[in-house]
Amino acid sequence: MCYKINDKTYYALEGAVESAGVGIQWAKKIGLITDVKNIEEEALSVKDCGDVYFVQAFQGIFAPYWRDDARGMLIGVGLNT
């Protein structure tokens, strides 16, 4: 439950990861990022993500309950990615 006003209840779904910096370190380690200073500029240089998504849950995920067995994924990668 997110909040309740009078008799109406509103729900929200949250997804969170424990450490965002680890994802950047991993991407740099495998060569996806050469310089962390360029991340924003490179991200803004493309029209959209091309249906490629990175879920960096290396140490679990909080969505909607803590799952320490959850793992990261890079999905949607094709020949033109």
Side-chain angles (χ1 to χ4, degrees):
M1 185 173 99
C2 183
Y3 61 91
K4 185 174 184 176
I5 297 177
N6 299 322
D7 291 331
K8 186 149 176 133
T9 302
Y10 297 86
Y11 295 92
L13 179 62
E14 175 192 13
V17 293
E18 187 172 288
S19 56
V22 173
I24 294 172
Q25 290 173 349
W26 174 82
K28 189 173 180 182
K29 182 179 179 179
I30 66 164
L32 291 176
I33 297 171
T34 54
D35 189 340
V36 295
K37 295 176 187 174
N38 299 330
I39 292 174
E40 182 179 13
E41 181 182 338
E42 291 173 0
L44 294 173
S45 71
V46 296
K47 181 179 175 183
D48 60 39
C49 69
D51 292 329
V52 175
Y53 299 95
F54 175 48
V55 178
Q56 78 97 56
F58 296 120
Q59 297 175 326
I61 196 163
F62 298 125
Y65 304 103
W66 173 245
R67 293 286 309 263
D68 62 351
D69 61 338
R71 294 295 175 255
M73 354 181 246
L74 182 60
I75 58 173
V77 177
L79 291 176
N80 295 320
T81 300

